[in-house]
Amino acid sequence: MVADFSSLIVMILSIIALVVTIMKFKIHPFYALVGVGILSAIGFGFPLLEVMPLIMSGFGSTIGSIGIVIVLGCAIGIILEDTGGALVLANTILKWVGKKNSTLAMGLTGYLVSIPVFSDSAIIIMSPVARALSARGGIPLIGLLGALNGGILATHTMVPPTPGPIAAAGTLGADLGLMIGLGLISSIAYTLAASLWCNSKRMINKYPELASMENVETALGEDFSLQSPDGRPLPSALLAFGAILAPVLLICINSFGSLLLPEDAAILPYLGFIGHPIFALTVGVVIGLFLDRERLTLEQLDKWFSKSVEDSGFIMIATGAAGAFGGVLKASGVGTYLGNLIAATPLPSVFVPFLVSVLLSVANGSATVSLITGSAIILPLLPSLGLHPVIAALAIAAGSSFFYHANASHFWVVLKANGNLPMREGYDLVSIPSALGACAAMVVVFIMSLFIHP
Protein backbone atom coordinates (compact mmCIF):
# COMPACT_ATOMS: atom_id res chain seq x y z
CA MET A 1 0.00 0.00 0.00
CA VAL A 2 1.18 3.53 -0.81
CA ALA A 3 0.88 5.81 2.22
CA ASP A 4 0.14 9.54 2.27
CA PHE A 5 -0.45 12.27 4.85
CA SER A 6 -3.78 10.73 5.91
CA SER A 7 -1.88 7.53 6.77
CA LEU A 8 0.29 9.55 9.14
CA ILE A 9 -2.84 10.88 10.88
CA VAL A 10 -4.23 7.34 11.23
CA MET A 11 -0.95 6.13 12.73
CA ILE A 12 -0.83 8.94 15.30
CA LEU A 13 -4.48 8.41 16.28
CA SER A 14 -3.99 4.65 16.59
CA ILE A 15 -1.01 5.03 18.92
CA ILE A 16 -2.92 7.54 21.08
CA ALA A 17 -5.94 5.20 21.15
CA LEU A 18 -3.73 2.28 22.18
CA VAL A 19 -2.12 4.15 25.06
CA VAL A 20 -5.47 5.51 26.30
CA THR A 21 -7.30 2.17 26.18
CA ILE A 22 -4.57 0.37 28.12
CA MET A 23 -3.50 3.04 30.61
CA LYS A 24 -6.74 5.02 31.10
CA PHE A 25 -9.45 2.40 30.64
CA LYS A 26 -7.36 -0.58 31.82
CA ILE A 27 -8.25 -2.70 28.80
CA HIS A 28 -6.17 -5.88 28.57
CA PRO A 29 -3.22 -5.28 26.18
CA PHE A 30 -4.24 -8.21 23.97
CA TYR A 31 -7.70 -6.82 23.24
CA ALA A 32 -6.41 -3.25 22.96
CA LEU A 33 -3.67 -4.16 20.48
CA VAL A 34 -5.88 -6.37 18.32
CA GLY A 35 -8.84 -3.97 18.44
CA VAL A 36 -6.79 -0.90 17.59
CA GLY A 37 -4.99 -2.93 14.92
CA ILE A 38 -8.29 -3.80 13.21
CA LEU A 39 -9.55 -0.20 13.34
CA SER A 40 -6.18 1.07 12.08
CA ALA A 41 -6.26 -1.32 9.12
CA ILE A 42 -9.71 0.00 8.19
CA GLY A 43 -8.50 3.58 8.67
CA PHE A 44 -5.52 2.98 6.38
CA GLY A 45 -7.94 1.90 3.68
CA PHE A 46 -7.25 -1.83 3.44
CA PRO A 47 -10.08 -3.75 1.77
CA LEU A 48 -12.33 -5.27 4.45
CA LEU A 49 -11.59 -8.80 3.30
CA GLU A 50 -7.86 -8.19 3.85
CA VAL A 51 -8.14 -6.78 7.39
CA MET A 52 -8.50 -10.02 9.37
CA PRO A 53 -5.89 -11.95 7.35
CA LEU A 54 -3.48 -9.04 7.94
CA ILE A 55 -4.10 -9.20 11.70
CA MET A 56 -3.68 -12.98 11.73
CA SER A 57 -0.51 -12.78 9.64
CA GLY A 58 1.15 -10.30 12.00
CA PHE A 59 0.06 -12.29 15.06
CA GLY A 60 1.09 -15.63 13.61
CA SER A 61 4.48 -14.58 12.27
CA THR A 62 5.44 -13.05 15.63
CA ILE A 63 4.34 -16.08 17.65
CA GLY A 64 5.97 -18.40 15.13
CA SER A 65 9.34 -16.71 15.51
CA ILE A 66 9.42 -16.29 19.29
CA GLY A 67 6.69 -18.50 20.85
CA ILE A 68 8.69 -21.68 21.56
CA VAL A 69 11.65 -19.58 22.67
CA ILE A 70 9.43 -17.84 25.24
CA VAL A 71 8.21 -21.18 26.67
CA LEU A 72 11.73 -22.58 26.94
CA GLY A 73 13.05 -19.35 28.44
CA CYS A 74 10.29 -19.41 31.05
CA ALA A 75 11.16 -23.04 31.84
CA ILE A 76 14.79 -22.12 32.54
CA GLY A 77 13.71 -19.27 34.82
CA ILE A 78 11.21 -21.43 36.72
CA ILE A 79 13.72 -24.24 37.25
CA LEU A 80 16.42 -21.81 38.40
CA GLU A 81 14.02 -20.19 40.85
CA ASP A 82 12.57 -23.41 42.28
CA THR A 83 15.87 -25.27 42.70
CA GLY A 84 17.78 -22.39 44.26
CA GLY A 85 19.92 -22.00 41.15
CA ALA A 86 18.86 -18.36 40.81
CA LEU A 87 19.99 -17.73 44.39
CA VAL A 88 23.40 -19.31 43.77
CA LEU A 89 23.79 -17.47 40.46
CA ALA A 90 22.90 -14.06 41.93
CA ASN A 91 25.02 -14.63 45.01
CA THR A 92 28.06 -15.55 42.92
CA ILE A 93 27.74 -12.43 40.75
CA LEU A 94 27.33 -10.21 43.81
CA LYS A 95 30.45 -11.75 45.35
CA TRP A 96 32.40 -11.04 42.17
CA VAL A 97 31.29 -7.47 41.49
CA GLY A 98 29.62 -6.23 44.69
CA LYS A 99 26.29 -4.43 44.97
CA LYS A 100 27.70 -1.13 43.69
CA ASN A 101 28.79 -2.65 40.40
CA SER A 102 25.80 -4.94 39.84
CA THR A 103 24.05 -2.62 37.38
CA LEU A 104 27.30 -2.19 35.45
CA ALA A 105 27.60 -5.99 35.33
CA MET A 106 24.04 -6.28 33.97
CA GLY A 107 24.62 -3.62 31.32
CA LEU A 108 27.85 -5.30 30.21
CA THR A 109 26.11 -8.68 30.17
CA GLY A 110 23.33 -7.40 27.92
CA TYR A 111 25.90 -5.65 25.71
CA LEU A 112 27.85 -8.88 25.16
CA VAL A 113 24.99 -11.39 25.04
CA SER A 114 23.00 -9.52 22.39
CA ILE A 115 25.84 -9.37 19.86
CA PRO A 116 24.93 -12.87 18.62
CA VAL A 117 21.55 -13.39 20.32
CA PHE A 118 18.28 -11.86 19.10
CA SER A 119 17.03 -9.19 21.53
CA ASP A 120 13.79 -10.93 22.55
CA SER A 121 15.66 -14.18 23.22
CA ALA A 122 18.35 -12.31 25.15
CA ILE A 123 15.87 -10.62 27.48
CA ILE A 124 14.08 -13.93 28.10
CA ILE A 125 17.35 -15.72 28.88
CA MET A 126 18.83 -13.01 31.11
CA SER A 127 15.74 -11.68 32.95
CA PRO A 128 15.94 -14.40 35.66
CA VAL A 129 19.48 -13.23 36.42
CA ALA A 130 18.34 -9.60 36.82
CA ARG A 131 15.43 -10.63 39.05
CA ALA A 132 17.63 -12.86 41.20
CA LEU A 133 20.21 -10.08 41.61
CA SER A 134 17.45 -7.68 42.62
CA ALA A 135 15.98 -10.07 45.18
CA ARG A 136 19.32 -11.18 46.63
CA GLY A 137 21.11 -7.83 46.57
CA GLY A 138 18.17 -5.66 47.64
CA ILE A 139 18.56 -3.63 44.44
CA PRO A 140 15.51 -2.07 42.71
CA LEU A 141 14.63 -4.17 39.68
CA ILE A 142 14.25 -1.20 37.34
CA GLY A 143 17.95 -0.32 37.65
CA LEU A 144 19.18 -3.81 36.84
CA LEU A 145 16.61 -4.53 34.15
CA GLY A 146 17.09 -1.12 32.55
CA ALA A 147 20.86 -1.62 32.31
CA LEU A 148 20.38 -5.14 30.92
CA ASN A 149 17.85 -4.04 28.33
CA GLY A 150 19.94 -1.02 27.33
CA GLY A 151 22.93 -3.24 26.62
CA ILE A 152 20.78 -5.73 24.73
CA LEU A 153 19.18 -3.15 22.44
CA ALA A 154 22.50 -1.38 21.83
CA THR A 155 24.41 -4.25 20.30
CA HIS A 156 21.32 -5.92 18.80
CA THR A 157 20.79 -2.87 16.60
CA MET A 158 24.35 -1.69 15.96
CA VAL A 159 26.70 -4.68 15.88
CA PRO A 160 26.68 -7.53 13.34
CA PRO A 161 26.08 -10.50 13.18
CA THR A 162 22.47 -9.82 14.19
CA PRO A 163 20.29 -9.71 11.03
CA GLY A 164 19.41 -6.00 10.97
CA PRO A 165 22.95 -4.56 11.03
CA ILE A 166 24.15 -7.19 8.54
CA ALA A 167 21.29 -6.33 6.16
CA ALA A 168 22.00 -2.60 6.40
CA ALA A 169 25.73 -3.13 5.85
CA GLY A 170 25.02 -5.36 2.84
CA THR A 171 22.56 -2.91 1.26
CA LEU A 172 24.86 0.10 1.65
CA GLY A 173 28.09 -1.75 0.83
CA ALA A 174 29.58 -1.07 4.26
CA ASP A 175 32.69 -2.92 5.38
CA LEU A 176 31.49 -5.47 7.95
CA GLY A 177 34.65 -5.50 10.05
CA LEU A 178 34.71 -1.70 10.35
CA MET A 179 31.02 -1.66 11.20
CA ILE A 180 31.53 -4.21 13.99
CA GLY A 181 34.38 -2.17 15.48
CA LEU A 182 32.66 1.21 15.30
CA GLY A 183 29.31 -0.35 16.28
CA LEU A 184 30.85 -1.70 19.48
CA ILE A 185 32.08 1.80 20.36
CA SER A 186 28.79 3.59 19.67
CA SER A 187 26.88 0.84 21.51
CA ILE A 188 28.73 1.76 24.70
CA ALA A 189 27.17 5.24 24.61
CA TYR A 190 23.71 3.70 24.08
CA THR A 191 24.16 1.30 27.01
CA LEU A 192 25.45 4.02 29.36
CA ALA A 193 22.64 6.46 28.54
CA ALA A 194 19.92 3.86 29.09
CA SER A 195 21.56 2.60 32.29
CA LEU A 196 22.01 6.07 33.75
CA TRP A 197 18.34 6.91 33.17
CA CYS A 198 17.06 3.72 34.81
CA ASN A 199 19.46 4.12 37.76
CA SER A 200 18.76 7.81 38.32
CA LYS A 201 17.39 8.88 41.70
CA ARG A 202 14.12 9.80 40.03
CA MET A 203 13.60 6.31 38.64
CA ILE A 204 14.80 4.48 41.76
CA ASN A 205 12.47 6.58 43.94
CA LYS A 206 9.58 6.09 41.51
CA TYR A 207 10.06 2.31 41.23
CA PRO A 208 11.85 1.13 44.41
CA GLU A 209 10.39 -2.38 44.22
CA LEU A 210 12.67 -5.41 44.45
CA ALA A 211 12.02 -8.54 42.45
CA SER A 212 10.35 -11.32 44.39
CA MET A 213 11.65 -14.84 43.82
CA GLU A 214 10.98 -18.03 45.71
CA ASN A 215 13.98 -19.40 47.62
CA VAL A 216 15.90 -16.12 47.22
CA GLU A 217 16.34 -14.05 50.39
CA THR A 218 17.80 -10.54 50.45
CA ALA A 219 21.36 -10.44 51.77
CA LEU A 220 22.20 -8.08 54.62
CA GLY A 221 24.91 -5.56 53.76
CA GLU A 222 27.79 -7.26 51.98
CA ASP A 223 27.23 -10.61 53.70
CA PHE A 224 26.70 -13.07 50.88
CA SER A 225 27.05 -16.27 52.88
CA LEU A 226 24.49 -18.81 51.73
CA GLN A 227 22.12 -21.10 53.54
CA SER A 228 19.56 -23.26 51.83
CA PRO A 229 16.07 -21.85 52.51
CA ASP A 230 14.51 -25.31 52.79
CA GLY A 231 17.42 -27.38 54.09
CA ARG A 232 18.24 -29.07 50.77
CA PRO A 233 21.78 -28.79 49.37
CA LEU A 234 22.20 -25.77 47.13
CA PRO A 235 22.92 -26.48 43.46
CA SER A 236 26.28 -26.11 41.79
CA ALA A 237 27.17 -22.59 40.62
CA LEU A 238 28.71 -24.16 37.50
CA LEU A 239 25.40 -25.80 36.56
CA ALA A 240 23.43 -22.64 37.37
CA PHE A 241 25.64 -20.57 35.06
CA GLY A 242 25.61 -23.38 32.52
CA ALA A 243 21.82 -23.23 32.18
CA ILE A 244 22.14 -19.57 31.17
CA LEU A 245 25.44 -19.50 29.29
CA ALA A 246 25.22 -22.74 27.30
CA PRO A 247 22.39 -21.41 25.08
CA VAL A 248 24.28 -18.15 24.58
CA LEU A 249 27.46 -20.02 23.63
CA LEU A 250 25.66 -22.24 21.12
CA ILE A 251 23.96 -19.26 19.46
CA CYS A 252 27.33 -17.44 19.38
CA ILE A 253 29.02 -20.36 17.64
CA ASN A 254 26.33 -20.38 14.95
CA SER A 255 26.28 -16.59 14.47
CA PHE A 256 30.02 -16.14 14.16
CA GLY A 257 30.41 -19.36 12.18
CA SER A 258 27.93 -18.03 9.61
CA LEU A 259 29.83 -14.74 9.52
CA LEU A 260 33.37 -16.11 9.24
CA LEU A 261 33.06 -19.40 7.35
CA PRO A 262 32.52 -19.78 3.59
CA GLU A 263 28.88 -20.14 2.55
CA ASP A 264 29.50 -23.70 1.31
CA ALA A 265 31.29 -24.87 4.47
CA ALA A 266 30.08 -28.38 5.31
CA ILE A 267 29.77 -27.61 9.01
CA LEU A 268 27.34 -24.70 8.63
CA PRO A 269 24.12 -26.79 8.64
CA TYR A 270 25.23 -28.42 11.90
CA LEU A 271 26.07 -25.07 13.44
CA GLY A 272 22.72 -23.72 12.27
CA PHE A 273 20.94 -26.58 14.02
CA ILE A 274 22.75 -26.50 17.38
CA GLY A 275 22.81 -22.68 17.34
CA HIS A 276 19.11 -22.23 16.65
CA PRO A 277 17.52 -20.57 19.72
CA ILE A 278 15.05 -23.43 20.16
CA PHE A 279 17.77 -26.10 20.35
CA ALA A 280 20.10 -23.85 22.37
CA LEU A 281 17.45 -23.09 24.99
CA THR A 282 16.46 -26.76 25.13
CA VAL A 283 20.06 -27.50 26.14
CA GLY A 284 19.73 -24.86 28.86
CA VAL A 285 16.56 -26.51 30.14
CA VAL A 286 18.23 -29.94 30.23
CA ILE A 287 21.19 -28.55 32.19
CA GLY A 288 18.77 -26.88 34.58
CA LEU A 289 17.05 -30.18 35.32
CA PHE A 290 20.20 -31.43 37.04
CA LEU A 291 20.33 -28.52 39.49
CA ASP A 292 18.32 -30.61 41.98
CA ARG A 293 18.82 -34.27 41.17
CA GLU A 294 17.05 -35.44 44.33
CA ARG A 295 13.74 -34.07 43.03
CA LEU A 296 14.28 -35.03 39.41
CA THR A 297 11.14 -37.15 39.02
CA LEU A 298 8.50 -37.30 36.31
CA GLU A 299 6.06 -35.61 38.68
CA GLN A 300 8.45 -32.71 39.30
CA LEU A 301 9.19 -32.39 35.58
CA ASP A 302 5.47 -32.10 34.92
CA LYS A 303 5.17 -29.32 37.52
CA TRP A 304 8.03 -27.31 36.04
CA PHE A 305 6.96 -27.77 32.44
CA SER A 306 3.27 -27.11 33.15
CA LYS A 307 4.12 -23.88 34.98
CA SER A 308 6.37 -22.75 32.13
CA VAL A 309 3.53 -23.20 29.64
CA GLU A 310 1.06 -21.39 31.92
CA ASP A 311 3.39 -18.47 32.64
CA SER A 312 4.47 -18.05 29.01
CA GLY A 313 0.93 -18.00 27.62
CA PHE A 314 0.26 -14.39 28.61
CA ILE A 315 3.67 -13.28 27.34
CA MET A 316 3.01 -14.92 23.98
CA ILE A 317 -0.47 -13.51 23.37
CA ALA A 318 0.61 -9.97 24.29
CA THR A 319 3.68 -10.29 22.07
CA GLY A 320 1.62 -11.74 19.22
CA ALA A 321 -0.96 -8.97 19.53
CA ALA A 322 1.84 -6.39 19.31
CA GLY A 323 2.98 -8.20 16.18
CA ALA A 324 -0.55 -7.93 14.74
CA PHE A 325 -0.68 -4.18 15.37
CA GLY A 326 2.88 -3.67 14.13
CA GLY A 327 2.10 -5.73 11.04
CA VAL A 328 -0.73 -3.37 10.12
CA LEU A 329 1.54 -0.34 10.46
CA LYS A 330 4.25 -2.03 8.40
CA ALA A 331 1.85 -3.05 5.62
CA SER A 332 0.36 0.46 5.51
CA GLY A 333 3.64 1.89 4.22
CA VAL A 334 3.47 4.80 6.66
CA GLY A 335 7.03 4.16 7.87
CA THR A 336 8.44 4.41 4.36
CA TYR A 337 6.33 7.53 3.73
CA LEU A 338 7.80 9.21 6.83
CA GLY A 339 11.30 8.13 5.87
CA ASN A 340 10.98 9.64 2.41
CA LEU A 341 9.73 12.91 3.91
CA ILE A 342 12.79 13.20 6.13
CA ALA A 343 15.13 12.18 3.31
CA ALA A 344 13.87 15.13 1.26
CA THR A 345 14.59 17.75 3.95
CA PRO A 346 17.77 19.92 4.02
CA LEU A 347 19.18 18.40 7.23
CA PRO A 348 22.91 17.89 7.94
CA SER A 349 23.66 14.78 5.95
CA VAL A 350 24.55 12.42 8.82
CA PHE A 351 21.22 13.07 10.55
CA VAL A 352 19.11 12.14 7.51
CA PRO A 353 19.58 8.34 7.83
CA PHE A 354 19.19 8.61 11.60
CA LEU A 355 15.85 10.43 11.44
CA VAL A 356 14.57 8.16 8.67
CA SER A 357 15.28 5.20 10.95
CA VAL A 358 13.75 6.95 13.98
CA LEU A 359 10.45 7.46 12.17
CA LEU A 360 10.48 3.90 10.89
CA SER A 361 11.11 2.62 14.43
CA VAL A 362 8.28 4.65 15.97
CA ALA A 363 5.96 3.60 13.16
CA ASN A 364 6.59 -0.15 13.01
CA GLY A 365 8.26 -1.14 16.30
CA SER A 366 10.92 -3.36 14.74
CA ALA A 367 14.61 -2.49 14.68
CA THR A 368 15.27 -5.09 12.00
CA VAL A 369 12.55 -3.69 9.72
CA SER A 370 13.82 -0.15 10.37
CA LEU A 371 17.36 -1.14 9.43
CA ILE A 372 16.30 -2.99 6.27
CA THR A 373 13.82 -0.36 5.09
CA GLY A 374 15.97 2.58 6.16
CA SER A 375 19.01 1.33 4.28
CA ALA A 376 16.88 0.80 1.15
CA ILE A 377 15.64 4.42 1.38
CA ILE A 378 19.13 5.85 1.97
CA LEU A 379 20.98 3.81 -0.68
CA PRO A 380 20.05 6.03 -3.68
CA LEU A 381 20.75 9.15 -1.58
CA LEU A 382 24.18 8.00 -0.40
CA PRO A 383 26.25 9.77 -3.10
CA SER A 384 24.48 13.10 -2.59
CA LEU A 385 24.70 12.81 1.21
CA GLY A 386 28.46 12.31 0.96
CA LEU A 387 28.56 9.78 3.80
CA HIS A 388 30.84 6.81 4.28
CA PRO A 389 28.68 3.65 3.96
CA VAL A 390 29.60 2.52 7.49
CA ILE A 391 28.62 5.90 8.96
CA ALA A 392 25.29 5.82 7.11
CA ALA A 393 24.64 2.25 8.30
CA LEU A 394 25.48 3.16 11.91
CA ALA A 395 23.26 6.25 11.79
CA ILE A 396 20.37 4.05 10.65
CA ALA A 397 21.23 1.51 13.35
CA ALA A 398 21.30 4.21 16.05
CA GLY A 399 17.73 5.27 15.24
CA SER A 400 16.31 1.81 14.65
CA SER A 401 15.22 1.20 18.26
CA PHE A 402 14.29 4.80 19.11
CA PHE A 403 11.41 4.95 21.63
CA TYR A 404 10.30 1.32 21.54
CA HIS A 405 6.67 1.46 22.65
CA ALA A 406 3.44 -0.53 22.60
CA ASN A 407 3.65 -1.55 18.93
CA ALA A 408 6.98 -3.32 19.53
CA SER A 409 6.91 -6.98 20.55
CA HIS A 410 10.13 -6.40 22.55
CA PHE A 411 8.32 -3.86 24.74
CA TRP A 412 5.84 -6.51 25.83
CA VAL A 413 8.42 -9.27 26.19
CA VAL A 414 10.33 -7.12 28.71
CA LEU A 415 7.18 -6.36 30.73
CA LYS A 416 5.59 -9.80 30.68
CA ALA A 417 8.80 -11.77 31.25
CA ASN A 418 9.41 -9.84 34.47
CA GLY A 419 6.28 -10.31 36.53
CA ASN A 420 3.79 -8.54 34.27
CA LEU A 421 5.08 -5.02 34.86
CA PRO A 422 2.54 -2.24 34.12
CA MET A 423 2.56 -0.41 30.81
CA ARG A 424 3.30 2.92 32.52
CA GLU A 425 6.53 1.47 33.92
CA GLY A 426 7.29 0.09 30.46
CA TYR A 427 7.60 3.59 29.06
CA ASP A 428 10.14 4.48 31.78
CA LEU A 429 11.94 1.16 31.49
CA VAL A 430 11.98 0.58 27.72
CA SER A 431 10.70 3.56 25.70
CA ILE A 432 12.53 6.53 27.22
CA PRO A 433 15.84 4.66 27.73
CA SER A 434 15.78 3.43 24.13
CA ALA A 435 15.22 7.01 22.92
CA LEU A 436 18.06 8.34 25.09
CA GLY A 437 20.32 5.48 24.07
CA ALA A 438 19.62 6.07 20.39
CA CYS A 439 20.46 9.77 20.70
CA ALA A 440 23.65 9.05 22.67
CA ALA A 441 24.79 6.54 20.06
CA MET A 442 24.02 9.07 17.32
CA VAL A 443 26.24 11.66 19.01
CA VAL A 444 29.12 9.20 18.80
CA VAL A 445 28.30 8.41 15.15
CA PHE A 446 28.24 12.14 14.38
CA ILE A 447 31.71 12.56 15.89
CA MET A 448 32.92 9.58 13.84
CA SER A 449 31.51 11.19 10.70
CA LEU A 450 33.86 14.16 11.19
CA PHE A 451 36.85 11.87 10.72
CA ILE A 452 35.58 9.07 8.43
CA HIS A 453 34.76 10.11 4.89
CA PRO A 454 33.94 8.16 1.70
Side-chain angles (χ1 to χ4, degrees):
M1 173 174 284
V2 178
D4 54 21
F5 183 74
S6 64
S7 303
L8 176 60
I9 300 299
V10 172
M11 186 198 79
I12 293 172
L13 291 176
S14 67
I15 292 173
I16 293 173
L18 185 62
V19 173
V20 170
T21 53
I22 295 175
M23 297 182 68
K24 176 71 174 176
F25 298 108
K26 310 299 181 184
I27 303 297
H28 192 285
F30 172 79
Y31 292 101
L33 285 160
V34 172
V36 172
I38 292 171
L39 294 175
S40 299
I42 296 171
F44 283 126
F46 286 99
L48 290 178
L49 291 179
E50 294 181 12
V51 171
M52 296 310 172
L54 184 59
I55 294 292
M56 291 188 294
S57 174
F59 184 91
S61 62
T62 303
I63 293 295
S65 64
I66 198 68
I68 298 176
V69 171
I70 290 174
V71 176
L72 293 172
C74 283
I76 293 174
I78 287 164
I79 294 168
L80 282 171
E81 184 174 347
D82 189 54
T83 60
L87 172 62
V88 171
L89 195 153
N91 204 68
T92 304
I93 293 174
L94 287 169
K95 278 185 176 180
W96 286 346
V97 304
K99 284 186 181 181
K100 291 183 179 179
N101 297 319
S102 56
T103 53
L104 176 62
M106 275 287 91
L108 181 61
T109 299
Y111 175 91
L112 294 174
V113 166
S114 196
I115 292 172
V117 181
F118 200 74
S119 60
D120 289 357
S121 301
I123 201 72
I124 290 167
I125 294 170
M126 297 309 303
S127 285
V129 181
R131 295 201 309 274
L133 276 175
S134 172
R136 180 62 177 165
I139 306 163
L141 178 61
I142 190 167
L144 294 167
L145 201 54
L148 173 66
N149 191 56
I152 285 173
L153 287 179
T155 51
H156 168 71
T157 56
M158 302 198 72
V159 183
T162 44
I166 281 187
T171 300
L172 298 175
D175 179 84
L176 209 53
L178 184 59
M179 184 163 177
I180 290 173
L182 298 182
L184 286 169
I185 295 171
S186 50
S187 294
I188 293 172
Y190 190 124
T191 305
L192 286 175
S195 300
L196 288 172
W197 166 264
C198 290
N199 285 278
S200 64
K201 286 185 178 180
R202 179 178 181 274
M203 286 295 99
I204 296 300
N205 290 335
K206 189 175 181 179
Y207 305 105
E209 298 82 9
L210 311 181
S212 176
M213 295 189 83
E214 291 183 14
N215 301 324
V216 179
E217 295 181 353
T218 302
L220 299 175
E222 296 292 329
D223 180 15
F224 300 123
S225 56
L226 275 183
Q227 291 183 345
S228 175
D230 54 10
R232 295 196 311 271
L234 288 167
S236 157
L238 183 62
L239 280 178
F241 276 99
I244 295 292
L245 296 181
V248 174
L249 179 61
L250 289 172
I251 296 171
C252 278
I253 291 172
N254 174 43
S255 296
F256 287 108
S258 301
L259 183 65
L260 300 174
L261 295 175
E263 291 184 5
D264 57 352
I267 198 173
L268 281 181
Y270 301 99
L271 296 183
F273 180 78
I274 67 170
H276 192 283
I278 292 176
F279 181 88
L281 283 165
T282 300
V283 171
V285 171
V286 172
I287 293 173
L289 296 179
F290 292 93
L291 287 168
D292 191 347
R293 298 182 188 182
E294 293 182 6
R295 288 198 297 156
L296 190 55
T297 63
L298 290 177
E299 182 181 358
Q300 185 59 52
L301 284 179
D302 181 62
K303 288 181 180 178
W304 284 334
F305 291 162
S306 296
K307 185 166 175 30
S308 71
V309 173
E310 292 167 6
D311 288 1
S312 61
F314 182 46
I315 304 173
M316 280 195 290
I317 63 168
T319 303
F325 178 53
V328 170
L329 295 180
K330 178 183 175 183
S332 72
V334 66
T336 304
Y337 170 74
L338 288 172
N340 288 327
L341 283 181
I342 289 295
T345 58
L347 290 167
S349 60
V350 72
F351 291 103
V352 171
F354 173 70
L355 290 175
V356 166
S357 186
V358 162
L359 292 174
L360 288 167
S361 173
V362 173
N364 67 60
S366 168
T368 302
V369 171
S370 300
L371 278 156
I372 293 170
T373 309
S375 58
I377 292 172
I378 294 301
L379 178 61
L381 304 176
L382 202 54
S384 59
L385 290 173
L387 294 174
H388 191 285
V390 170
I391 295 298
L394 287 175
I396 295 169
S400 64
S401 61
F402 182 91
F403 201 77
Y404 260 14
H405 60 100
N407 69 336
S409 62
H410 183 86
F411 179 90
W412 296 102
V413 170
V414 174
L415 298 191
K416 304 310 175 187
N418 288 282
N420 194 21
L421 299 174
M423 185 178 182
R424 186 181 302 276
E425 186 170 349
Y427 281 104
D428 283 328
L429 174 62
V430 181
S431 306
I432 295 176
S434 64
L436 294 173
C439 292
M442 186 56 213
V443 170
V444 175
V445 173
F446 171 70
I447 294 171
M448 291 174 178
S449 73
L450 302 177
F451 302 96
I452 300 174
H453 307 286

